[in-house]
Structures are given as structure tokens and as C-alpha cells.
Amino acid sequence: MNAVLIWIVFPLAIAVILFLFQRWKQTITLIGTGVALLLAGLAWLYPPDGAMRLGPWIFEITDRFSVHGRQIILTHGDRPILILLYLMAAFWFLGSLAAKVPAHFVPFGMAATAIMVISIFVEPFYYGALLFEVVALLFTVLLSVPGKLPTKGILRFMAFQTLGMVFILLASWLLNQTHVETINQTLLKQALIAMGLGFAFLLGIFPFVTWIPMISSQNNSYLAAFMFNIFLNGAILFGLSFLEQYAWVQEYIDFSVYFQIVGAIMLGVGGLLTAFQRNLGRVMGYVVIVGIGHAFLAFSLGRTGTQTYFALLIVQICALGVWSLSLNIIYSQLHSLDYSSVAGIAYRLPFPVIGIFLANFSLAGLPLLAGFTLYWALGSQLIFQSSLRITIWLLVASIGMLGGGLRSISVLIAREEELPEVEESTNLFKVLLVFGGTFLVIFGMMPHYLLRFVENLSLVFQ
Amino acid sequence: MPQIYTTLSVGLVFLTALSLLLFENWRWNAGALALQYLGVFVLIAMSNPVEIAVVKLVAGWMSTAILGMAMVDNSGEIEQKETLNLPGQLFRGLVAILVGLIVFSFLPQALTLFAGVASQQVLGGAFLLGLGLLHISLSTAPVRVIIGLLTITAGFGILYASVEDSIFITTLLAIVNLGIAFVGAYFLSVSSMEVVE
């Protein structure tokens, strides 16, 4: 049996089948969650290049699959990435039971995850850029909910991803040219510029960042957060594979310095602008931008930073899940996330407001919540490396996010004479909120459990 | 392939991309896109086997058909939204000519970068990339952005095919091309689709 059949073809087939049965939304959501958990479990129990025992039968799992002379290789070492991606998908699918999302969410989400697996593990790896474009197209359709016109944020996302694909393919071609011959500094410079532009478009790095807040404010919050979480982190993993393959470039350029500069810019832009928003969705969007900045800073630190990145990722998944679900509940009742529309809604919908509070302040790094110790670790490591100026931006971003959170909360609890009539939050939402909130508090108080959990993940990129 | 065909193809891709930028009539657009892919086919066939170039042509025409069919279904709505007047067309035309001149003036540098690639291929690819970029910069309507993206991928397809002749990449680029057209068709009909929640 081939690993590609299990972790790519099977979920794609399931996605197609689930797409045909959209009428039974709850059933397909549960099946999708189950399949994603099963795939994560299989990756945990049976490594891609090992053997699978099912009763009396033993199946050898081969780790490579050839198409037109190119290969998709899933090795034993890639197992944590498979587990992570499918667990992330399962988490979002399960949460969608309590959210108001279109029925094609699970099939599209499943297909996007499977294609993302190909794009990370295809050889030559730069072909992944084309597959990321396919994933971006899937997310474009997913975010364009039936009955509404596609938003400007989606159009911009699509345009930027297409340009990102073009520049990454161009960069890899130029780098291959440079590698084959003797190093040509001019060619290397052009390749690095193309690579920088490509990943700036792909990851939404300043100034190509505008689509993130646009999507988070104009589109379904839950779908937007799912896309930010899966797509951006998948793209970061792809970027790391890219750098791993062209490790020789690091003899000519110190990426860690550029990572710190990009990280600081993202923290500055995201953090400062968070404090000045007037829409709950946009606040979440800018916090996502800060999250990209944190990821860059973490990767600039090498081995310990990689561990911090994965710990931050787990916290981001929990926090974004709780946050976007809460926003989704509020939007489904009020049809707007503008401050003017949501003023005083805490008295009608207390649970979603608690969710927003916990998620926003966790990601802002409020003490006793999940983000605090990780930011502290990140800041300490940066100071240890004498990057005090960068650390100040870490602090500025946290203050900005706290400010944005406080503004949101003050609006949500403002005394209004007339409050709109709304439906009570569902029990499922409350249960999910309690679970998500508990994780955010537990991770904040006992971060060593989180760090131990992500230790294996960080080994993949050492 | 005789040089006259390839030189004419460069002119063809420039004119079709220009007409896509200037005219919003869906019939013109579908026709211009179809002709554009013919020019792309000739330019790719310069350095690649005809089989690869035909894949690009077929994928391009299929994309045009997908988008064209969706535009036929929504022709009334599209015609209502056509807003480009004469001054707007003049402005776009002038900017497009400016882009064309910039591309032409950077041809020697581009030829150094794409060493060994024919000047017609570099010029044709760069024209499409430039005008496609201009198209998505000046448009906010979903279908216009889609046409701009198809133009960009066509231009990139010419340049990339001249330096890498992989069947896998050709397949993936064809999938991306068709995917963009499908998304365009989806955009045209999504607002009138039934919500399943």
C-alpha cells in the first residue's frame, strides 16, 4: 500500500463523496472529522515507510509515489506534519457543528488539506507553489458563500496567491541556475528578490497584507479563521522546506536577520493597527498578522525558536477557533461585526463575548493565559541574542492587541438602551467554548505540557 | 517555426490582452481570450514539443469556454454592470501602451536573465504579464480580475515553458488555468445560488 493513497488520495475521495451529500450537513461534518482524526491516528501509529497490521494482514506502506517522473515522498520524519495538519482539520471540522457555515465547508476543507500535504511533500518541492495556488482557489470558492457576491478581500487574496506562485517558480528556476554554474552574485540577488516577493505574496507579508483584515471582516469569520490557520501555516511549512532545499544560499545571506526584520514589521503593523479598528472581524485579522510576525521571529532563533513556533501554533489554533466561532455566532444574529452594531451585546450573548475575551487576550499575551509564557520565552531568547530593538516590537504588538481587545470589550459591554432580540447560544457552542477556554487557561498556567507536546514537531525542521 | 508566425504571435497576444483591458463586452472578451491562447500556443511551440503546446492551447480554450458559458448565462447582469466609457478606455489604452513600451525597453535585460530564450517568447510573456497585472490593478469586478489572472498565467506559461519543459509542470499549470476559469464561472453565479447551511 502506498502512503500517498492513504494520506492524499483517500481524503480527496472522501471530500468528493461528502460534497455529493451536502444535504446531510451534520452527518458529513461528523464523517469528515472522523476521517481527519483517523488519518492523524494512522500517521501516529503507522509511519509512512513502515508496515500496517490489520488483524492477520500486514500491509507494507511504501513512502513514495511517482507521477510523470516526479515524486511525492512521505517519509517517517514527515509524520508529525501529517498528524498536525489532519488534527488541525479535525479541530475545525468539529467546531463547524456549532458555527453557521455552508455545507461545502468540510468537503472543501478536506480537499484543501490533502492538496496541501502534496504541496509540502512533492519533489521537486518548488512544484508545491502550483499546488498552493490550487489550494488558494479552493479557499476562494469556500469563502465565497452562495447567495453573496465575492468580496474584494477574496479577489485580492486570489490575485496575490497567483503572483506568489509566479515569483516562487521564477525564484526556484533562478536558484537552480545559480546552483548549477558557479555562483553568480547578480543572479543570486535576482533569485532572492523573486523569492522574497513570492513568499511575501503567499504569506501576506507587508505590504501585501491587506487581504487578511479584508477577508476577516467581509467574510464568514469561521471560514476566514480556518483559512488563515491552515493556509498560512501550511505556507510557512512550505517556506521552511524551500529554505531547507536551498540551504547553500545561507552561505551568502543570513536569513535570521531578515526574518527578524520582517517579523518586527508584521508585529508593528498588526499590533498598532489592531488598536484602531472598529470592526470585531478586522481586529481578528490584524491579530493574525501579528501571528505571522511571531512565526518569523521564532524561526529566526533556530532550534528553540522552531519549538516555540509550534507551541504558538497550537495556542493560535485554540484561540482562533474560539474567537471565530464566537464572532460567527454574533454575526449570525446581528449580520454585522461593526462596533456600532455589536454595542452592548454582552448582555444578550455573554458566551460569545467571553470567547472573544479569552481568545483575544490569550493571543495578546495577557499573564495566566496561553500566549504569555510563549511570548516571554520568545522575548527572552531575542534579548539573549542581543535583539533588544526587535523585542520592543514584540511588546508593542502585545500592547496593541491588548488595546484592541480592551476597546472591543468596552464596546461589547457598553450600556445600550435598546438591545436587539437574539437567540440563546446553543449548548454545543457553550461546550466547545468551555473546552477551548480551558485549554487556553491550562496552557497559560502549565506551558511545559504544551512544549513537551510540540518537541517532536520541531525535530522535523532541524 | 517561421519567424513571421512567432513575431505575429507577439503582436496577437499584445492586441488581445489590450482588447481584454479595453472592452467589457463578454463576446469580445471570450473571442480575445481564445485568440490569445492561439498566440500562446505558437510562442510555446517555439521551444517545446507541439504536444506540450497543444496542452496549453486546449487548456486555454477550455478555460475560455468555461468562462464564456458562465458569461452567456449571466450576460444580462454583466451588460448592466459594464461601466467603461470612452475616457476610461482611452486612459486604459494609454497606460497599456506605456506598459508595452516599458516591457520593450527592458527586453535586453530580460534576455540576459532568460539566457537562451527567444526574444519573441520573452516579449510575448512579458507583455501578457504586464497587461494582466495592469488588468487586475484597474479592475474590481470579479470576472475582470479572473480575466486578468488568466492573462498573467498565460504570460508566465510562455516564459516558464521556455526554461522548463516538464510534463508535470504543464499539467499543473493547465489545472491552475482551468481552476481559475472555474472560480470565475463560480463567481458569476454565486450570488444567485441557493444557500445550503
Side-chain angles (χ1 to χ4, degrees):
Chain A
M1 195 182 287
N2 197 293
V4 171
L5 284 179
I6 302 171
W7 284 285
I8 295 168
V9 178
F10 174 62
L12 279 175
I14 291 289
V16 173
I17 294 167
L18 295 183
F19 184 75
L20 299 174
F21 296 98
Q22 287 181 60
R23 191 169 298 197
W24 296 282
K25 189 188 157 194
Q26 275 205 326
T27 313
I28 65 168
T29 305
L30 287 171
I31 293 172
T33 309
V35 169
L37 283 174
L38 175 76
L39 291 169
L42 284 176
W44 185 288
L45 295 170
Y46 306 107
D49 47 359
M52 184 191 285
R53 183 187 287 272
L54 283 176
W57 298 285
I58 297 173
F59 300 97
E60 284 287 324
I61 307 175
T62 48
D63 60 353
R64 56 196 63 211
F65 184 82
S66 294
V67 197
H68 291 306
R70 312 293 163 186
Q71 289 188 318
I72 302 165
I73 305 171
L74 295 168
T75 60
H76 181 82
D78 301 325
R79 211 160 54 135
I81 301 293
L82 284 176
I83 297 170
L84 178 75
L85 281 175
Y86 281 110
L87 276 183
M88 278 162 80
F91 172 87
W92 287 98
F93 294 163
L94 185 68
S96 74
L97 284 169
K100 202 163 183 175
V101 292
H104 62 274
F105 169 62
V106 173
F108 271 70
M110 181 74 81
T113 311
I115 296 173
M116 198 163 283
V117 171
I118 314 176
S119 49
I120 295 172
F121 298 114
V122 69
E123 291 284 341
F125 61 94
Y126 53 85
Y127 287 6
L130 282 156
L131 292 156
F132 261 95
E133 171 71 2
V134 176
V135 176
L137 292 175
L138 281 176
F139 276 118
T140 305
V141 174
L142 178 61
L143 286 164
S144 307
V145 180
K148 288 180 183 171
L149 281 171
T151 61
K152 282 182 186 171
I154 291 175
L155 295 176
R156 197 165 292 185
F157 166 69
M158 201 176 155
F160 282 179
Q161 294 311 317
T162 308
L163 293 174
M165 170 197 79
V166 166
F167 279 108
I168 290 172
L169 286 176
L170 186 67
S172 44
W173 174 70
L174 287 171
L175 283 171
N176 289 341
Q177 296 294 305
T178 315
H179 191 43
V180 172
E181 299 154 15
T182 51
I183 298 298
N184 176 339
Q185 292 289 341
T186 317
L187 204 59
L188 182 64
K189 203 184 283 178
Q190 286 165 339
L192 289 173
I193 290 171
M195 188 174 88
L197 276 171
F199 281 101
F201 279 120
L202 188 72
L203 291 168
I205 290 166
F206 184 81
F208 310 113
V209 75
T210 47
W211 59 269
I212 297 177
M214 282 167 94
I215 285 182
S216 66
S217 62
Q218 296 166 349
N219 293 85
N220 185 315
S221 306
Y222 196 78
L223 299 180
F226 170 71
M227 191 266 266
F228 297 147
N229 197 230
I230 295 267
F231 186 84
L232 290 176
N233 287 299
I236 286 175
L237 296 178
F238 171 62
L240 287 180
S241 306
F242 197 95
L243 290 182
E244 204 179 8
Q245 296 287 331
Y246 291 116
W248 59 268
V249 176
Q250 292 179 47
E251 288 173 24
Y252 300 89
I253 180 171
D254 184 5
F255 279 116
S256 64
V257 175
Y258 290 94
F259 278 6
Q260 290 195 351
I261 294 169
V262 170
I265 292 172
M266 296 299 278
L267 290 178
V269 170
L272 290 175
L273 291 177
T274 306
F276 299 103
Q277 300 310 309
R278 295 181 150 268
N279 177 292
L280 293 176
R282 284 184 77 84
V283 173
M284 187 177 79
Y286 280 103
V287 172
V288 168
I289 293 170
V290 174
I292 300 170
H294 284 139
F296 270 90
L297 284 190
F299 285 124
S300 75
L301 295 168
R303 185 171 168 267
T304 46
T306 314
Q307 196 174 352
T308 312
Y309 161 74
F310 282 109
L312 281 168
L313 174 61
I314 304 289
V315 172
Q316 193 195 49
I317 295 168
C318 276
L320 273 187
V322 169
W323 196 343
S324 60
L325 195 55
S326 304
L327 291 183
N328 184 282
I329 301 285
I330 293 176
Y331 185 86
S332 65
Q333 304 274 349
L334 304 176
H335 305 290
S336 172
L337 292 175
D338 289 336
Y339 279 178
S340 54
S341 310
V342 298
I345 203 66
Y347 302 100
R348 288 277 190 267
L349 293 168
F351 284 94
V353 174
I354 292 169
I356 292 170
F357 173 84
L358 277 173
N360 191 337
F361 288 108
S362 285
L363 291 176
L366 191 76
L368 297 181
L369 289 176
F372 174 70
T373 41
L374 299 174
Y375 297 159
W376 186 273
L378 198 59
S380 310
Q381 286 159 11
L382 284 167
I383 290 175
F384 188 69
Q385 285 200 352
S386 313
S387 306
L388 187 63
R389 273 182 294 185
I390 303 290
T391 317
I392 289 171
W393 285 108
L394 194 67
L395 193 66
V396 168
S398 282
I399 293 170
M401 288 189 287
L402 281 172
L406 285 172
R407 278 190 73 203
S408 300
I409 295 299
S410 66
V411 170
L412 290 166
I413 60 169
R415 282 275 170 204
E416 289 289 310
E417 284 180 8
E418 277 185 38
L419 286 171
E421 287 302 318
V422 292
E423 286 173 29
E424 175 77 3
S425 306
T426 61
N427 287 334
L428 179 63
F429 168 71
K430 288 175 190 169
V431 170
L432 291 174
L433 177 69
V434 168
F435 269 108
T438 309
F439 274 121
L440 291 175
V441 174
I442 287 177
F443 287 156
M445 293 187 176
M446 288 170 273
H448 53 283
Y449 287 121
L450 182 62
L451 291 171
R452 200 175 299 161
F453 176 70
V454 298
E455 209 172 336
N456 284 334
L457 276 171
S458 61
L459 290 173
V460 179
F461 286 102
Q462 274 170 29
Chain B
M1 189 170 291
Q3 200 179 353
I4 182 76
Y5 292 141
T6 52
T7 311
L8 281 175
S9 297
V10 176
L12 181 68
V13 293
F14 181 77
L15 287 176
T16 50
L18 185 67
S19 75
L20 285 170
L21 192 66
L22 295 184
F23 304 109
E24 288 186 329
N25 182 292
W26 64 268
R27 292 180 191 85
W28 275 88
N29 287 172
L33 261 181
L35 280 174
Q36 183 172 290
Y37 284 112
L38 198 63
V40 171
F41 162 74
V42 174
L43 290 173
I44 289 176
M46 281 177 77
S47 59
N48 289 70
V50 177
E51 296 88 333
I52 297 259
V54 165
V55 170
K56 302 267 185 190
L57 180 69
V58 172
W61 278 354
M62 279 174 72
S63 305
T64 309
I66 292 163
L67 206 55
M69 299 267 270
M71 287 195 286
V72 170
D73 284 345
N74 296 276
S75 55
E77 207 178 322
I78 293 171
E79 275 162 14
Q80 273 180 2
K81 285 180 185 167
E82 285 175 7
T83 51
L84 209 56
N85 49 17
L86 190 62
Q89 283 175 320
L90 274 175
F91 170 73
R92 284 182 174 216
L94 285 173
V95 179
I97 289 168
L98 198 64
V99 168
L101 287 173
I102 291 170
V103 166
F104 199 75
S105 63
F106 276 102
L107 184 62
Q109 285 91 331
L111 283 172
T112 318
L113 184 67
F114 293 95
V117 180
S119 59
Q120 291 96 325
Q121 285 180 309
V122 175
L123 205 54
F127 273 151
L128 289 182
L129 275 174
L131 292 180
L133 208 55
L134 183 65
H135 205 141
I136 58 171
S137 319
L138 294 175
S139 313
T140 50
V143 72
R144 312 301 312 167
V145 174
I146 292 293
I147 290 173
L149 291 179
L150 284 174
T151 308
I152 288 175
T153 48
F156 178 69
I158 297 171
L159 289 175
Y160 206 66
S162 63
V163 293
E164 177 136 6
D165 58 348
S166 150
I167 298 171
F168 192 57
I169 253 275
T170 308
T171 315
L172 284 177
L173 272 171
I175 291 172
V176 166
N177 220 26
L178 289 169
I180 292 174
F182 269 119
V183 171
Y186 179 76
F187 279 171
L188 282 167
S189 52
V190 69
S191 59
S192 54
M193 279 167 73
E194 186 192 346
V195 188
V196 185
E197 281 187 336

